[in-house]
Coordinates of all heavy atoms in Angstrom, one line a residue:
M1 N -22.7 7.0 -1.3 CA -21.4 6.8 -0.7 C -20.4 7.0 -1.7 O -20.5 6.4 -2.9 CB -21.3 5.4 0.0 CG -19.9 5.2 0.5 SD -19.8 3.6 1.4 CE -20.2 4.1 3.0
P2 N -19.3 7.7 -1.6 CA -18.3 7.9 -2.5 C -17.5 6.6 -2.8 O -17.5 5.7 -2.0 CB -17.3 8.9 -2.0 CG -17.6 9.1 -0.6 CD -19.0 8.4 -0.4
N3 N -16.7 6.7 -4.0 CA -16.1 5.4 -4.4 C -15.0 5.3 -3.4 O -14.1 6.2 -3.1 CB -15.4 5.6 -5.8 CG -14.7 4.5 -6.3 OD1 -14.0 3.7 -5.5 ND2 -14.6 4.3 -7.6
P4 N -14.7 4.1 -2.7 CA -13.6 3.9 -1.7 C -12.3 4.2 -2.2 O -11.5 4.6 -1.4 CB -13.8 2.5 -1.2 CG -15.1 2.0 -1.8 CD -15.5 2.9 -2.9
L5 N -12.0 4.1 -3.5 CA -10.7 4.3 -4.0 C -10.3 5.8 -4.0 O -9.1 6.2 -3.9 CB -10.6 3.9 -5.5 CG -10.4 2.4 -5.8 CD1 -10.6 2.1 -7.2 CD2 -9.2 1.9 -5.2
H6 N -11.4 6.7 -3.9 CA -11.1 8.1 -3.9 C -11.3 8.7 -2.5 O -11.3 9.9 -2.4 CB -12.0 8.8 -4.8 CG -11.9 8.3 -6.3 ND1 -10.7 8.4 -6.9 CD2 -12.7 7.5 -7.1 CE1 -10.8 7.8 -8.1 NE2 -12.0 7.3 -8.1
D7 N -11.5 7.8 -1.5 CA -11.6 8.2 -0.1 C -10.3 8.8 0.4 O -9.2 8.3 0.1 CB -12.0 7.1 0.8 CG -12.2 7.4 2.2 OD1 -11.2 8.1 2.8 OD2 -13.3 7.1 2.8
P8 N -10.3 10.0 1.1 CA -9.1 10.7 1.4 C -8.2 9.7 2.4 O -7.0 9.8 2.4 CB -9.5 11.9 2.2 CG -10.8 12.2 1.7 CD -11.5 10.9 1.3
N9 N -8.9 8.9 3.1 CA -8.2 8.0 4.0 C -7.5 6.9 3.2 O -6.3 6.5 3.6 CB -9.1 7.3 5.0 CG -9.8 8.4 6.0 OD1 -9.2 9.3 6.5 ND2 -11.1 8.3 6.0
Y10 N -8.0 6.4 2.1 CA -7.2 5.5 1.3 C -6.1 6.1 0.7 O -5.1 5.5 0.4 CB -8.3 4.9 0.2 CG -7.6 3.7 -0.3 CD1 -7.7 2.5 0.5 CD2 -7.1 3.5 -1.6 CE1 -7.1 1.3 0.0 CE2 -6.7 2.4 -2.0 CZ -6.6 1.2 -1.3 OH -6.0 0.1 -1.8
A11 N -6.2 7.4 0.3 CA -5.0 8.2 -0.2 C -3.9 8.3 0.7 O -2.7 8.1 0.4 CB -5.4 9.6 -0.7
V12 N -4.3 8.3 2.1 CA -3.2 8.3 3.1 C -2.5 7.0 3.1 O -1.3 6.8 3.1 CB -3.8 8.6 4.5 CG1 -2.8 8.3 5.6 CG2 -4.3 10.1 4.6
F13 N -3.3 5.9 3.1 CA -2.9 4.6 3.0 C -1.9 4.3 1.8 O -0.8 3.8 2.0 CB -4.0 3.5 3.0 CG -3.6 2.1 2.9 CD1 -3.0 1.5 3.9 CD2 -4.0 1.3 1.7 CE1 -2.6 0.2 3.8 CE2 -3.6 0.0 1.7 CZ -3.0 -0.6 2.8
R14 N -2.4 4.7 0.6 CA -1.4 4.6 -0.6 C -0.2 5.3 -0.4 O 0.9 4.8 -0.8 CB -2.3 5.1 -1.9 CG -3.4 4.1 -2.2 CD -4.1 4.5 -3.5 NE -3.5 5.7 -4.2 CZ -4.1 6.9 -4.4 NH1 -5.3 7.1 -3.9 NH2 -3.6 7.8 -5.0
S15 N -0.2 6.5 0.0 CA 0.9 7.4 0.3 C 1.8 6.7 1.2 O 3.1 6.7 0.9 CB 0.6 8.8 0.9 OG 1.6 9.4 1.3
M16 N 1.4 6.1 2.2 CA 2.2 5.3 3.2 C 2.9 4.2 2.6 O 4.1 3.8 2.8 CB 1.5 4.9 4.4 CG 1.1 6.1 5.3 SD 0.1 5.7 6.7 CE 1.2 4.7 7.7
L17 N 2.1 3.4 1.7 CA 2.7 2.3 1.0 C 3.8 2.7 0.1 O 4.9 2.0 0.1 CB 1.6 1.6 0.2 CG 0.6 0.8 1.0 CD1 -0.5 0.2 0.1 CD2 1.3 -0.4 1.7
I18 N 3.6 3.8 -0.6 CA 4.6 4.3 -1.6 C 5.9 4.6 -0.8 O 6.9 4.3 -1.2 CB 4.0 5.4 -2.4 CG1 3.0 5.0 -3.4 CG2 5.2 6.2 -3.1 CD1 2.1 6.1 -4.0
S19 N 5.6 5.4 0.3 CA 6.8 5.8 1.2 C 7.5 4.5 1.6 O 8.8 4.5 1.7 CB 6.3 6.6 2.3 OG 7.4 7.0 3.2
A20 N 6.8 3.6 2.1 CA 7.5 2.3 2.6 C 8.3 1.6 1.5 O 9.4 1.2 1.8 CB 6.4 1.3 3.1
R21 N 7.7 1.6 0.4 CA 8.4 1.0 -0.9 C 9.8 1.8 -1.1 O 10.8 1.2 -1.2 CB 7.6 0.9 -2.2 CG 8.4 0.3 -3.2 CD 7.6 0.3 -4.6 NE 7.1 1.6 -5.1 CZ 7.8 2.6 -5.7 NH1 9.1 2.3 -5.8 NH2 7.3 3.7 -6.0
E22 N 9.6 3.1 -1.2 CA 10.7 4.0 -1.4 C 11.8 3.8 -0.3 O 13.1 3.7 -0.6 CB 10.4 5.4 -1.6 CG 9.6 5.6 -2.9 CD 9.0 7.0 -3.0 OE1 8.8 7.7 -2.1 OE2 8.5 7.2 -4.2
K23 N 11.4 3.8 0.9 CA 12.3 3.6 2.0 C 13.1 2.3 2.0 O 14.1 2.1 2.5 CB 11.7 3.8 3.4 CG 11.2 5.2 3.7 CD 10.5 5.4 5.0 CE 10.1 6.8 5.2 NZ 9.2 6.9 6.4
S24 N 12.4 1.3 1.5 CA 13.0 -0.1 1.4 C 14.0 -0.2 0.3 O 14.8 -1.1 0.1 CB 11.9 -1.1 1.1 OG 11.4 -1.1 -0.2
G25 N 14.0 0.9 -0.6 CA 14.9 1.0 -1.7 C 14.6 0.1 -2.9 O 15.4 -0.2 -3.8
L26 N 13.3 -0.3 -3.0 CA 12.8 -1.2 -4.0 C 12.0 -0.5 -5.1 O 11.3 0.6 -4.8 CB 11.9 -2.3 -3.5 CG 12.5 -3.2 -2.5 CD1 11.5 -4.1 -1.8 CD2 13.6 -4.1 -3.3
T27 N 12.2 -0.9 -6.3 CA 11.4 -0.3 -7.4 C 10.0 -1.1 -7.5 O 9.9 -2.2 -7.0 CB 12.2 -0.4 -8.8 OG1 12.3 -1.9 -9.2 CG2 13.5 0.3 -8.7
Q28 N 9.2 -0.6 -8.3 CA 7.9 -1.2 -8.5 C 8.2 -2.6 -9.1 O 7.5 -3.6 -8.7 CB 7.0 -0.4 -9.5 CG 6.4 0.7 -8.8 CD 5.4 1.4 -9.7 OE1 5.2 1.2 -10.8 NE2 4.7 2.4 -9.1
V29 N 9.1 -2.6 -10.0 CA 9.5 -3.9 -10.8 C 10.0 -5.0 -9.7 O 9.6 -6.1 -9.7 CB 10.4 -3.7 -11.9 CG1 11.0 -5.0 -12.4 CG2 9.9 -2.8 -12.9
E30 N 10.8 -4.5 -8.8 CA 11.4 -5.4 -7.8 C 10.3 -6.0 -6.9 O 10.3 -7.2 -6.6 CB 12.5 -4.7 -7.0 CG 13.8 -4.5 -7.8 CD 14.8 -3.5 -7.2 OE1 14.4 -2.6 -6.5 OE2 16.0 -3.7 -7.5
V31 N 9.4 -5.1 -6.4 CA 8.3 -5.5 -5.6 C 7.4 -6.5 -6.3 O 7.2 -7.6 -5.8 CB 7.5 -4.3 -5.2 CG1 6.2 -4.8 -4.5 CG2 8.3 -3.4 -4.2
A32 N 7.2 -6.3 -7.6 CA 6.3 -7.1 -8.3 C 6.9 -8.5 -8.5 O 6.3 -9.5 -8.4 CB 6.0 -6.5 -9.8
N33 N 8.2 -8.5 -8.7 CA 9.0 -9.8 -8.9 C 9.0 -10.6 -7.7 O 8.7 -11.8 -7.8 CB 10.4 -9.5 -9.4 CG 10.5 -9.0 -10.8 OD1 9.7 -9.2 -11.5 ND2 11.7 -8.5 -11.2
R34 N 9.0 -9.9 -6.6 CA 9.1 -10.7 -5.3 C 7.6 -11.2 -5.0 O 7.6 -12.2 -4.2 CB 9.5 -9.7 -4.1 CG 11.0 -9.4 -4.2 CD 11.4 -8.6 -3.0 NE 12.9 -8.2 -3.3 CZ 13.7 -7.7 -2.3 NH1 13.1 -7.6 -1.0 NH2 14.9 -7.4 -2.5
L35 N 6.6 -10.5 -5.4 CA 5.3 -11.0 -5.1 C 4.8 -11.9 -6.3 O 3.8 -12.5 -6.2 CB 4.3 -9.9 -5.2 CG 4.6 -8.9 -3.9 CD1 3.6 -7.6 -4.2 CD2 4.3 -9.5 -2.6
Q36 N 5.7 -12.1 -7.3 CA 5.3 -12.9 -8.6 C 4.1 -12.4 -9.2 O 3.1 -13.0 -9.5 CB 5.2 -14.4 -8.2 CG 6.5 -14.9 -7.7 CD 6.4 -16.4 -7.3 OE1 5.2 -17.0 -7.2 NE2 7.5 -17.1 -7.3
K37 N 4.1 -11.0 -9.4 CA 3.0 -10.2 -10.0 C 3.6 -9.5 -11.1 O 4.7 -9.2 -11.0 CB 2.3 -9.3 -9.0 CG 1.7 -10.0 -7.8 CD 0.4 -10.5 -8.1 CE -0.3 -11.0 -6.8 NZ -1.5 -11.6 -7.0
P38 N 2.7 -8.9 -12.0 CA 3.3 -8.0 -13.0 C 3.5 -6.6 -12.4 O 2.9 -6.3 -11.4 CB 2.1 -7.9 -14.0 CG 0.9 -8.4 -13.4 CD 1.4 -9.3 -12.3
Q39 N 4.4 -5.8 -13.0 CA 4.6 -4.4 -12.5 C 3.3 -3.7 -12.4 O 3.2 -2.8 -11.5 CB 5.7 -3.8 -13.3 CG 6.2 -2.4 -13.0 CD 5.2 -1.3 -13.5 OE1 4.6 -1.5 -14.6 NE2 5.0 -0.2 -12.9
S40 N 2.5 -3.9 -13.4 CA 1.3 -3.1 -13.3 C 0.4 -3.3 -12.1 O -0.4 -2.4 -11.7 CB 0.4 -3.5 -14.6 OG 0.1 -4.8 -14.5
Y41 N 0.6 -4.4 -11.4 CA -0.1 -4.7 -10.1 C 0.3 -3.5 -9.1 O -0.5 -3.0 -8.5 CB 0.2 -6.0 -9.6 CG -0.2 -6.3 -8.2 CD1 -1.5 -6.9 -7.9 CD2 0.7 -6.2 -7.2 CE1 -1.8 -7.2 -6.6 CE2 0.3 -6.5 -5.8 CZ -1.0 -7.1 -5.7 OH -1.3 -7.3 -4.3
V42 N 1.6 -3.4 -9.0 CA 2.1 -2.3 -8.1 C 1.7 -1.0 -8.5 O 1.2 -0.2 -7.7 CB 3.6 -2.5 -8.0 CG1 4.2 -1.4 -7.0 CG2 4.0 -3.9 -7.5
S43 N 1.8 -0.7 -9.8 CA 1.5 0.6 -10.3 C 0.0 0.9 -10.0 O -0.3 2.1 -9.6 CB 1.7 0.8 -11.8 OG 1.3 2.0 -12.3
K44 N -0.9 0.0 -10.2 CA -2.3 0.3 -10.1 C -2.6 0.5 -8.6 O -3.5 1.4 -8.4 CB -3.2 -0.9 -10.6 CG -3.1 -0.9 -12.1 CD -3.9 -2.1 -12.7 CE -3.9 -2.1 -14.3 NZ -4.6 -3.1 -14.8
Y45 N -2.2 -0.2 -7.7 CA -2.6 0.1 -6.3 C -1.9 1.4 -5.9 O -2.5 2.1 -5.1 CB -2.3 -1.1 -5.3 CG -0.9 -1.3 -4.8 CD1 -0.2 -0.4 -3.9 CD2 -0.2 -2.4 -5.3 CE1 1.1 -0.7 -3.6 CE2 1.1 -2.6 -4.8 CZ 1.7 -1.8 -4.0 OH 3.0 -1.9 -3.6
E46 N -0.7 1.8 -6.3 CA 0.0 3.0 -6.0 C -0.8 4.2 -6.6 O -0.8 5.1 -5.9 CB 1.4 3.1 -6.4 CG 2.3 2.2 -5.5 CD 3.8 2.4 -5.8 OE1 4.2 3.2 -6.6 OE2 4.6 1.8 -5.1
R47 N -1.3 4.1 -7.7 CA -2.1 5.1 -8.3 C -3.6 5.2 -7.9 O -4.3 6.1 -8.2 CB -2.1 5.0 -9.9 CG -0.6 5.3 -10.4 CD -0.7 5.3 -11.9 NE -1.3 4.1 -12.4 CZ -1.3 3.7 -13.6 NH1 -0.7 4.4 -14.6 NH2 -2.0 2.6 -14.1
G48 N -4.0 4.2 -7.2 CA -5.4 4.2 -6.7 C -6.4 3.6 -7.7 O -7.6 3.9 -7.6
E49 N -5.9 2.8 -8.6 CA -6.8 2.2 -9.6 C -7.2 0.8 -9.1 O -8.2 0.2 -9.7 CB -6.0 2.0 -10.9 CG -5.7 3.4 -11.7 CD -4.9 3.1 -12.9 OE1 -5.0 2.0 -13.5 OE2 -4.4 4.1 -13.4
R50 N -6.6 0.3 -8.1 CA -6.9 -1.0 -7.6 C -6.8 -0.9 -6.0 O -5.8 -0.3 -5.6 CB -5.9 -2.0 -8.1 CG -5.9 -3.3 -7.4 CD -4.8 -4.2 -8.1 NE -5.1 -5.6 -7.9 CZ -5.1 -6.1 -6.6 NH1 -4.8 -5.4 -5.6 NH2 -5.5 -7.4 -6.6
R51 N -7.7 -1.6 -5.3 CA -7.5 -1.7 -3.8 C -6.8 -2.9 -3.5 O -6.9 -3.9 -4.1 CB -9.0 -1.7 -3.2 CG -9.6 -0.4 -3.3 CD -11.0 -0.4 -2.6 NE -11.0 -0.7 -1.2 CZ -10.9 0.3 -0.2 NH1 -10.9 1.6 -0.6 NH2 -10.9 0.0 1.1
L52 N -6.2 -2.9 -2.3 CA -5.5 -4.0 -1.8 C -6.4 -4.5 -0.6 O -6.9 -3.9 0.1 CB -4.2 -3.6 -1.1 CG -3.1 -3.1 -2.0 CD1 -1.9 -2.7 -1.3 CD2 -2.6 -4.2 -3.0
D53 N -6.4 -5.9 -0.5 CA -7.0 -6.5 0.6 C -6.0 -6.7 1.7 O -4.8 -6.4 1.4 CB -7.8 -7.8 0.2 CG -6.9 -8.9 -0.2 OD1 -5.7 -9.0 0.2 OD2 -7.4 -9.9 -0.9
F54 N -6.5 -7.1 2.8 CA -5.6 -7.2 4.0 C -4.4 -8.2 3.7 O -3.2 -7.9 4.1 CB -6.3 -7.6 5.3 CG -5.5 -7.5 6.5 CD1 -5.0 -6.3 7.0 CD2 -5.1 -8.7 7.0 CE1 -4.2 -6.2 8.1 CE2 -4.2 -8.6 8.2 CZ -3.8 -7.4 8.8
V55 N -4.8 -9.3 3.1 CA -3.6 -10.3 2.9 C -2.6 -9.8 1.9 O -1.4 -10.1 2.0 CB -4.3 -11.7 2.3 CG1 -3.3 -12.7 1.9 CG2 -5.3 -12.3 3.4
E56 N -3.1 -9.1 0.9 CA -2.1 -8.4 0.0 C -1.2 -7.4 0.7 O -0.1 -7.4 0.5 CB -2.8 -7.8 -1.2 CG -3.5 -8.8 -2.1 CD -4.4 -8.1 -3.1 OE1 -5.1 -7.1 -2.8 OE2 -4.4 -8.5 -4.3
F57 N -1.9 -6.6 1.6 CA -1.0 -5.6 2.4 C 0.0 -6.3 3.3 O 1.1 -5.9 3.3 CB -2.1 -4.8 3.2 CG -1.4 -4.1 4.3 CD1 -0.5 -3.1 4.1 CD2 -1.6 -4.5 5.7 CE1 0.2 -2.4 5.2 CE2 -0.9 -3.9 6.7 CZ 0.0 -2.8 6.4
V58 N -0.4 -7.3 3.9 CA 0.6 -8.1 4.7 C 1.8 -8.6 3.9 O 2.9 -8.5 4.3 CB -0.1 -9.3 5.5 CG1 0.8 -10.0 6.2 CG2 -1.1 -8.7 6.4
A59 N 1.4 -9.2 2.7 CA 2.5 -9.6 1.8 C 3.5 -8.4 1.4 O 4.7 -8.5 1.4 CB 1.9 -10.2 0.6
L60 N 2.9 -7.3 1.1 CA 3.6 -6.1 0.8 C 4.6 -5.7 2.0 O 5.7 -5.3 1.8 CB 2.8 -4.9 0.3 CG 2.3 -4.9 -1.0 CD1 1.2 -3.8 -1.2 CD2 3.4 -4.8 -2.0
A61 N 3.9 -5.7 3.2 CA 4.7 -5.2 4.4 C 5.9 -6.1 4.5 O 7.0 -5.7 4.9 CB 3.8 -5.3 5.6
D62 N 5.7 -7.4 4.3 CA 6.9 -8.3 4.4 C 7.9 -8.0 3.4 O 9.1 -8.0 3.8 CB 6.3 -9.8 4.2 CG 7.5 -10.8 4.4 OD1 8.1 -10.8 5.4 OD2 7.6 -11.8 3.5
V63 N 7.5 -7.7 2.2 CA 8.6 -7.4 1.1 C 9.2 -6.1 1.5 O 10.4 -6.0 1.3 CB 7.8 -7.2 -0.3 CG1 8.7 -6.6 -1.4 CG2 7.3 -8.5 -0.8
F64 N 8.6 -5.2 2.0 CA 9.2 -3.9 2.5 C 9.9 -4.0 3.7 O 10.7 -3.0 4.1 CB 8.1 -2.7 2.7 CG 7.3 -2.5 1.4 CD1 6.0 -2.0 1.5 CD2 7.7 -2.7 0.1 CE1 5.2 -1.6 0.5 CE2 7.0 -2.3 -1.0 CZ 5.7 -1.8 -0.8
G65 N 9.8 -5.1 4.5 CA 10.4 -5.1 5.7 C 9.8 -4.2 6.8 O 10.4 -3.8 7.7
V66 N 8.4 -4.0 6.6 CA 7.7 -3.2 7.6 C 6.9 -4.0 8.6 O 6.3 -5.0 8.1 CB 6.7 -2.3 6.7 CG1 5.7 -1.5 7.5 CG2 7.5 -1.3 5.8
D67 N 6.9 -3.5 9.7 CA 6.1 -4.2 10.8 C 4.7 -3.7 10.6 O 4.3 -2.5 10.6 CB 6.6 -3.8 12.3 CG 5.7 -4.4 13.3 OD1 6.1 -5.5 13.7 OD2 4.8 -3.8 13.8
V68 N 3.8 -4.7 10.4 CA 2.3 -4.5 10.1 C 1.7 -3.7 11.2 O 0.9 -2.8 11.0 CB 1.6 -5.8 9.9 CG1 0.0 -5.5 9.7 CG2 2.0 -6.5 8.6
V69 N 1.9 -4.1 12.4 CA 1.3 -3.4 13.6 C 1.8 -2.0 13.7 O 0.9 -1.1 13.9 CB 1.6 -4.2 14.9 CG1 1.1 -3.4 16.1 CG2 1.1 -5.5 14.9
Q70 N 3.0 -1.7 13.5 CA 3.6 -0.4 13.5 C 2.9 0.5 12.4 O 2.5 1.6 12.5 CB 5.1 -0.4 13.5 CG 5.7 1.1 13.5 CD 5.4 1.8 14.8 OE1 5.3 1.3 15.9 NE2 5.1 3.1 14.8
F71 N 2.9 -0.1 11.2 CA 2.2 0.5 10.0 C 0.8 1.0 10.4 O 0.4 2.1 10.1 CB 2.3 -0.3 8.8 CG 1.9 0.3 7.6 CD1 2.9 0.8 6.6 CD2 0.6 0.5 7.1 CE1 2.5 1.4 5.5 CE2 0.2 1.0 6.0 CZ 1.1 1.6 5.2
L72 N 0.1 0.0 10.9 CA -1.3 0.4 11.2 C -1.4 1.4 12.3 O -2.4 2.2 12.2 CB -2.1 -1.0 11.6 CG -2.2 -2.0 10.5 CD1 -2.9 -3.3 11.0 CD2 -3.0 -1.4 9.3
K73 N -0.5 1.4 13.2 CA -0.6 2.4 14.3 C -0.3 3.8 13.6 O -1.0 4.8 14.0 CB 0.5 2.1 15.4 CG 0.5 3.1 16.4 CD 1.6 2.7 17.5 CE 1.6 3.8 18.5 NZ 2.8 3.9 19.3
E74 N 0.7 3.8 12.8 CA 1.0 5.1 12.1 C -0.2 5.6 11.2 O -0.5 6.8 11.2 CB 2.3 4.9 11.3 CG 3.5 4.9 12.1 CD 4.7 4.7 11.3 OE1 4.9 5.1 10.0 OE2 5.7 4.1 11.8
F75 N -0.8 4.6 10.5 CA -2.0 5.0 9.8 C -3.1 5.5 10.7 O -3.6 6.5 10.3 CB -2.5 3.7 9.0 CG -3.8 4.1 8.3 CD1 -3.7 4.8 7.1 CD2 -5.0 3.6 8.8 CE1 -4.9 5.0 6.3 CE2 -6.2 3.9 8.1 CZ -6.1 4.6 6.9
S76 N -3.3 5.0 11.8 CA -4.4 5.4 12.6 C -4.1 6.7 13.2 O -5.1 7.6 13.4 CB -4.4 4.3 13.9 OG -5.4 4.8 14.7
E77 N -2.8 7.1 13.4 CA -2.4 8.4 13.8 C -2.7 9.4 12.7 O -2.9 10.7 13.0 CB -1.1 8.5 14.3 CG -0.8 7.6 15.5 CD 0.7 7.4 15.9 OE1 1.5 7.9 15.1 OE2 1.0 6.9 17.0
R78 N -2.6 9.0 11.4 CA -2.7 10.0 10.3 C -4.1 10.0 9.8 O -4.4 10.7 8.9 CB -1.8 9.6 9.2 CG -0.3 9.8 9.7 CD 0.7 9.3 8.7 NE 0.6 10.1 7.4 CZ 1.3 9.9 6.4 NH1 2.2 8.9 6.4 NH2 1.1 10.5 5.2
Y79 N -5.0 9.0 10.2 CA -6.3 8.8 9.7 C -7.1 10.1 9.6 O -7.3 10.6 10.7 CB -7.0 7.7 10.5 CG -8.3 7.2 9.9 CD1 -8.2 6.3 8.8 CD2 -9.5 7.4 10.5 CE1 -9.5 5.8 8.3 CE2 -10.6 6.9 10.1 CZ -10.6 6.1 9.0 OH -11.8 5.7 8.5
C80 N -7.7 10.5 8.6 CA -8.4 11.6 8.5 C -9.8 11.4 8.7 O -10.7 11.1 7.9 CB -8.4 12.2 6.9 SG -6.7 12.4 6.4
R81 N -10.3 11.4 10.0 CA -11.6 11.1 10.4 C -12.6 12.1 9.9 O -12.8 13.2 9.9 CB -11.7 11.0 11.9 CG -10.9 9.8 12.3 CD -10.8 9.6 13.8 NE -9.7 8.8 14.0 CZ -9.7 7.6 14.5 NH1 -10.9 7.0 14.7 NH2 -8.7 6.9 14.7

């Protein structure tokens, strides 16, 4: 089984997270500060060096002002089966 970090579907998820951050007008540093994490935390999940668990994703969605259900619906529509 391939490394989940390199799964094309995870790349879609990462791309959507980056887009959500950019649409919110926040920098990586600002997101990290709101989460009380180092900037490298944001950089690593955006570059695919680190996976996010669901609880971390929900926290990010809150910071971005994104509706979790809508995000998941959009991901499902883009999901590369």
Side-chain angles (χ1 to χ4, degrees):
M1 176 176 268
N3 182 330
L5 284 173
H6 303 295
D7 184 303
N9 298 314
Y10 198 72
V12 169
F13 178 66
R14 287 188 2 253
S15 173
M16 290 178 65
L17 287 173
I18 293 167
S19 178
R21 176 181 60 76
E22 290 172 343
K23 285 179 185 173
S24 73
L26 297 171
T27 66
Q28 288 185 352
V29 171
E30 291 168 327
V31 171
N33 288 340
R34 291 184 186 194
L35 296 172
Q36 298 181 338
K37 303 272 188 187
Q39 179 272 333
S40 61
Y41 170 85
V42 178
S43 175
K44 286 180 180 179
Y45 78 70
E46 285 191 0
R47 291 185 310 190
E49 294 179 13
R50 166 184 205 292
R51 286 183 66 92
L52 291 175
D53 67 25
F54 187 73
V55 173
E56 292 170 320
F57 161 67
V58 171
L60 280 172
D62 185 52
V63 168
F64 299 152
V66 169
D67 179 83
V68 171
V69 174
Q70 183 61 36
F71 187 98
L72 293 175
K73 182 180 178 199
E74 289 176 25
F75 175 78
S76 180
E77 291 169 358
R78 295 174 62 182
Y79 189 73
C80 308
R81 294 175 201 248

